[in-house]
């Protein structure tokens, strides 16, 4: 069983993506042996009114609800997000949130974020935060030129112990591994951009926060799935620990049966 | 069979280490089924003196001696040293058995200062691997500390000046605008691209093949080992194309040497 914590549907304005529909994603998942994927709308990142992206997502994945697990994209600084949150969870069956503080121009430590995080905690929704969508070194002239600092997520996690934070698409885990303070227990890290050989950042991460807080992801259709799968294949840890990363940790966060 | 066309050894000049050993590098290669590692030891910032250049090449040579069946070397030179660079190339290729030349960002590929080196490489029919990439803006190239980094346009200009040279645009997945690099090289048959770098964007390898043909694409890692192998395995290619990219193209280049 494999659960991909990091998949997307929709149009990316700065490069032609392939497989960026529900059908396309299923094709990639089948090709790579991925059973389920957490998915959000790329369109919702760019619409001022994110909710329309969430509505599109729910409609598109309807035939694949058994495999595609929708997360809502919300902007706590945009009007009526509380109503959108309620609709996403109660009517559209969204199982978590995916937040983009840099794209939506807010900080995780600001008042509006605190209110959104508080509501998400009450609803038991995990929060996924991609530190970037594409590598800023190749950014389009209208796109972001930086990543979200990990320390901002760590601080938010410290201030909101009732929430669960899953960090996506990070190439570095230095602030987690080298930080003097204990890593908040509510922080999880998706491993697709980390390494299993040479610098061995996946192993270092496991040593620091425990295998139970590392989750599998790919970043499809932005990325090939195979690099992340290859890292898991050659990772020098016990099979049971691999199972936890491949799917059990994420299944628990999603409230799925992890036995 | 896999030949990594762009790799580095564990030590850098000045005694600094990357945090792992050549044994770790070879172990990683073995895990990923990489048979040969074509390595260099460049200086990535500033203008190294000839003493530093020789030290770099001696570091590479030590690794070649340590793993003679696995590690092959590129000679790194600073084109600003006209005569000495040519002498160093001759020492490295003829005495130490290196297979090509590595150029970094000391000068851009379209600057006349590099011509004697490129003509020498063409005479010997050895490949020249360029550290290359297209930053989003000149300001960001400065921020990267690489105002003279070469991109596809610069390398294409050089290739047209010396049509019998064998040039390799390094790490098309190294962080710059890879669509720019690939498009720039479309009509320049004596330039290859290597696929190394941490960028695993879905479609990058297919675009290389579509624009350049599979026989001008070289598998490489630049130490992003799993990403390097994973993107070739993940790309939608025929078996024949994958073989060309993984090793046959580089093997063909190596057989052209007149040394």
């Amino acid at each position: 069983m494999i659960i991909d914590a990091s998949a997307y549907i929709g149009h990316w304005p700065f490069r032609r993506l392939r497989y960026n529909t529900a059908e396309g994603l299923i094709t990639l998942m089948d090709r790579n042996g991925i059973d389920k994927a957490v998915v959000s709308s790329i369109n919702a990142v760019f619409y001022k009114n994110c909710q329309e992206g969430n509505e599109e997502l729910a409609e598109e994945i309807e035939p694949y609800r058994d495999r595609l697990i929708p997360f809502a994209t919300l902007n706590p600084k945009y009007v009526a997000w509380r109503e959108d949150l309620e609709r996403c969870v109660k009517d559209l069956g969204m199982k978590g949130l995916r937040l983009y503080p840099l794209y939506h121009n807010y900080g995780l430590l600001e008042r509006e974020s605190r209110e959104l995080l508080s509501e998400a905690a009450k609803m038991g929704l995990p929060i996924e935060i991609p530190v970037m969508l594409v590598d800023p070194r190749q950014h389009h002239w209208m796109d972001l030129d930086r990543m979200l600092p990990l320390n901002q997520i760590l601080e938010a996690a410290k201030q909101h112990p009732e929430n669960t934070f899953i960090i996506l698409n990070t190439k570095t885990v230095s602030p987690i591994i080298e930080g003097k303070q204990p890593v908040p227990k509510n922080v999880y890290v998706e491993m697709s951009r980390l390494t299993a050989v040479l610098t061995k950042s996946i192993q270092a991460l496991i040593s620091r926060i425990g295998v139970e807080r590392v989750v599998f992801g790919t970043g499809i259709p932005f990325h090939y799935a195979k690099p992340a799968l290859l890292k898991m294949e050659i990772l020098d840890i016990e099979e049971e620990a691999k199972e936890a990363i491949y799917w059990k940790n994420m299944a628990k966060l999603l409230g799925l049966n992890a036995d | 069979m896999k030949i990594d066309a762009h790799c580095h050894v564990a030590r850098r000049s000045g005694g600094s280490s990357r945090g792992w050993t050549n044994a770790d590098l070879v172990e990683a290669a073995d895990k990923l089924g990489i048979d040969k590692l074509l390595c260099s030891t460049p200086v990535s910032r500033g203008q190294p003196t000839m003493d530093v250049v020789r030290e770099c090449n001696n570091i590479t040579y030590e690794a070649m001696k340590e793993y003679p069946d696995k590690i092959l070397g590129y000679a790194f030179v600073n084109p600003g040293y006209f005569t000495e660079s040519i002498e160093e190339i001759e020492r490295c290729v003829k005495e130490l058995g290196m297979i090509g030349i590595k150029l970094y960002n000391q000068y851009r590929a379209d600057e006349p200062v590099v011509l004697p080196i490129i003509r020498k490489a063409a005479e010997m029919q050895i490949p020249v691997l360029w550290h290359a990439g297209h930053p989003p803006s000149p300001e960001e190239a400065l921020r990267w500390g690489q105002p003279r980094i070469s991109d596809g346009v610069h390398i294409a200009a050089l290739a047209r000046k010396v049509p019998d040279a064998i040039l390799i645009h390094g790490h098309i997945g190294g962080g710059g605008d890879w669509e720019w690099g690939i498009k720039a090289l479309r009509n320049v048959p004596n330039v290859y691209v290597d696929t190394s770098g941490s960028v695993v964007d879905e479609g990058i390898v297919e675009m290389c093949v579509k624009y350049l043909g599979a026989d001008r694409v070289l598998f490489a890692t630049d130490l992003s080992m799993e990403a390097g192998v994973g993107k070739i395995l993940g790309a939608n290619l025929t078996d024949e194309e994958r073989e060309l990219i993984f090793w046959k193209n580089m093997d063909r280049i190596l057989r052209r040497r007149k040394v």
Side-chain angles (χ1 to χ4, degrees):
Chain A
M1 173 84 153
I2 297 179
I3 300 178
D4 183 346
S6 178
Y8 303 82
I9 282 175
H11 176 60
W12 176 246
F14 309 117
R15 177 170 82 86
R16 184 180 179 184
L17 293 182
R18 310 185 300 175
Y19 308 104
N20 57 341
T21 60
E23 290 77 13
L25 221 48
I26 293 291
T27 302
L28 288 183
M29 289 163 65
D30 287 344
R31 193 183 290 169
N32 290 285
I34 296 168
D35 300 279
K36 294 177 188 287
V38 173
V39 62
S40 68
S41 163
I42 303 170
N43 297 0
V45 179
F46 296 97
Y47 294 166
K48 276 188 298 183
N49 175 16
C50 307
Q51 184 53 22
E52 289 302 319
N54 295 326
E55 301 278 346
E56 286 175 347
L57 174 72
E59 196 176 313
E60 177 151 4
I61 66 157
E62 195 52 39
Y64 308 102
R65 284 269 174 179
D66 56 331
R67 298 188 64 191
L68 300 178
I69 302 160
F71 269 36
T73 301
L74 290 175
N75 177 351
K77 283 206 166 176
Y78 203 74
V79 66
W81 64 261
R82 288 172 194 276
E83 292 160 34
D84 296 339
L85 174 62
E86 191 160 318
R87 165 133 175 97
C88 283
V89 174
K90 293 189 176 160
D91 300 335
L92 305 181
M94 306 268 179
K95 303 297 182 191
L97 302 183
R98 207 172 265 175
L99 301 183
Y100 301 88
L102 290 182
Y103 280 104
H104 291 156
N105 199 25
Y106 66 88
L108 282 173
L109 307 177
E110 292 180 34
R111 178 178 56 81
E112 291 89 345
S113 299
R114 287 201 298 274
E115 290 173 10
L116 173 59
L117 292 173
S118 170
E119 289 302 312
K122 283 181 205 160
M123 294 176 160
L125 301 172
I127 311 286
E128 289 196 333
I129 304 179
V131 297
M132 59 178 169
L133 280 172
V134 301
D135 193 317
R137 294 175 299 172
Q138 62 189 43
H139 74 87
H140 184 279
W141 41 93
M142 291 181 73
D143 196 8
L144 293 173
D145 62 358
R146 63 199 186 282
M147 290 180 265
L148 185 70
L150 280 189
N151 281 331
Q152 191 179 130
I153 304 173
L154 296 176
E155 183 58 30
K158 192 173 151 191
Q159 291 183 17
H160 296 273
E162 70 285 6
N163 287 104
T164 299
F165 293 85
I166 307 164
I167 299 169
L168 305 184
N169 207 21
T170 186
K171 284 169 66 178
T172 175
V173 283
S174 299
I176 296 174
I177 291 168
E178 294 161 13
K180 287 183 182 148
Q181 302 292 321
V183 182
K185 298 276 185 211
N186 51 336
V187 171
Y188 291 70
V189 181
E190 175 270 308
M191 49 59 67
S192 63
R193 307 306 299 282
L194 306 179
T195 56
V197 295
L198 298 184
T199 52
K200 298 189 176 182
S201 56
I202 300 175
Q203 293 90 324
L205 184 68
I206 291 171
S207 296
R208 177 75 167 148
I209 66 174
V211 75
E212 65 279 6
R213 287 201 275 144
V214 180
V215 300
F216 175 80
T218 63
I220 53 172
F222 284 104
H223 301 150
Y224 293 114
K226 194 65 187 170
L229 290 161
L230 199 53
K231 287 169 195 183
M232 290 300 296
E233 279 173 35
I234 65 171
L235 191 60
D236 49 1
I237 60 172
E238 300 291 324
E239 281 308 308
E240 197 179 329
K242 278 194 188 181
E243 284 291 295
I245 297 174
Y246 269 133
W247 70 279
K248 285 190 174 177
N249 296 339
M250 199 63 202
K252 280 180 197 159
L253 295 178
L254 294 168
L256 303 173
N257 188 352
D259 294 325
Chain B
M1 177 83 171
K2 297 182 186 73
I3 301 175
D4 181 349
H6 184 159
C7 197
H8 300 286
V9 297
R11 270 181 62 214
R12 295 187 176 105
S13 66
S16 70
S17 160
R18 297 177 187 271
W20 40 263
T21 64
N22 288 332
D24 294 327
L25 176 64
V26 168
E27 184 191 330
D30 287 342
K31 278 188 178 180
L32 290 160
I34 302 172
D35 301 275
K36 304 279 183 198
L37 301 160
L38 275 50
C39 295
S40 63
T41 308
V43 172
S44 59
R45 298 290 181 273
Q47 296 285 353
T49 63
M50 276 310 300
D51 283 346
V52 173
V53 165
R54 288 188 199 100
E55 181 202 355
C56 287
N57 292 325
N58 290 340
I59 288 170
T60 304
Y61 181 56
E62 287 303 313
M64 289 163 59
K65 282 196 296 185
E66 199 179 349
Y67 293 98
D69 297 331
K70 201 79 171 183
I71 295 180
L72 289 78
Y74 287 104
F76 166 67
V77 288
N78 178 352
Y81 291 90
F82 292 99
T83 316
E84 293 98 322
S85 285
I86 299 293
E87 285 169 3
E88 179 64 1
I89 289 166
E90 294 208 332
R91 178 181 84 95
C92 289
V93 174
K94 292 181 179 168
E95 293 175 30
L96 308 185
M98 295 194 184
I99 54 81
I101 296 169
K102 168 73 185 241
L103 296 177
Y104 209 80
N105 59 12
Q106 280 73 31
Y107 294 91
R108 245 173 40 185
D110 60 346
E111 295 187 74
V113 66
V114 307
L115 281 171
I117 289 168
I118 304 306
R119 291 198 176 111
K120 182 70 183 172
E123 176 194 316
M124 299 170 102
Q125 283 294 283
I126 57 174
V128 180
L129 171 59
W130 277 90
H131 169 80
H134 182 72
S137 67
E139 291 75 21
E140 280 177 79
L142 277 172
R143 212 191 311 153
W144 295 0
Q146 303 198 54
R148 274 169 146 162
I149 190 170
S150 299
D151 71 11
V153 172
H154 308 131
I155 292 174
L158 174 64
R160 290 189 180 102
K161 275 186 212 159
V162 191
D164 53 342
I166 306 162
L167 305 180
I168 303 171
H169 177 298
H171 42 53
I172 203 76
D177 180 349
W178 49 265
E179 291 178 285
W180 174 286
I182 295 166
K183 289 189 77 173
L185 298 172
R186 188 169 205 168
N187 299 311
V188 203
N190 55 326
V191 185
Y192 296 75
V193 294
D194 90 47
T195 56
S196 68
S198 62
V199 170
V200 290
D201 289 350
E202 203 284 330
I204 185 171
V205 179
E206 290 91 331
M207 184 172 171
C208 289
V209 171
K210 178 179 169 185
Y211 276 71
L212 311 177
D215 52 0
R216 286 173 57 203
V217 184
L218 306 172
F219 155 70
T221 68
D222 192 17
L223 300 177
S224 290
M225 308 288 284
E226 313 98 308
V229 175
K231 72 182 93 168
I232 307 299
L233 292 177
N236 199 4
L237 302 170
T238 64
D239 289 346
E240 191 183 346
E241 287 168 336
R242 221 180 302 278
E243 288 280 292
L244 286 171
I245 294 169
F246 264 139
W247 69 277
K248 283 187 175 172
N249 293 333
M250 194 69 221
D251 185 59
R252 220 169 269 163
I253 290 172
L254 295 176
R255 288 175 191 280
R256 286 172 64 177
R257 286 174 293 161
K258 292 179 181 169
V259 187

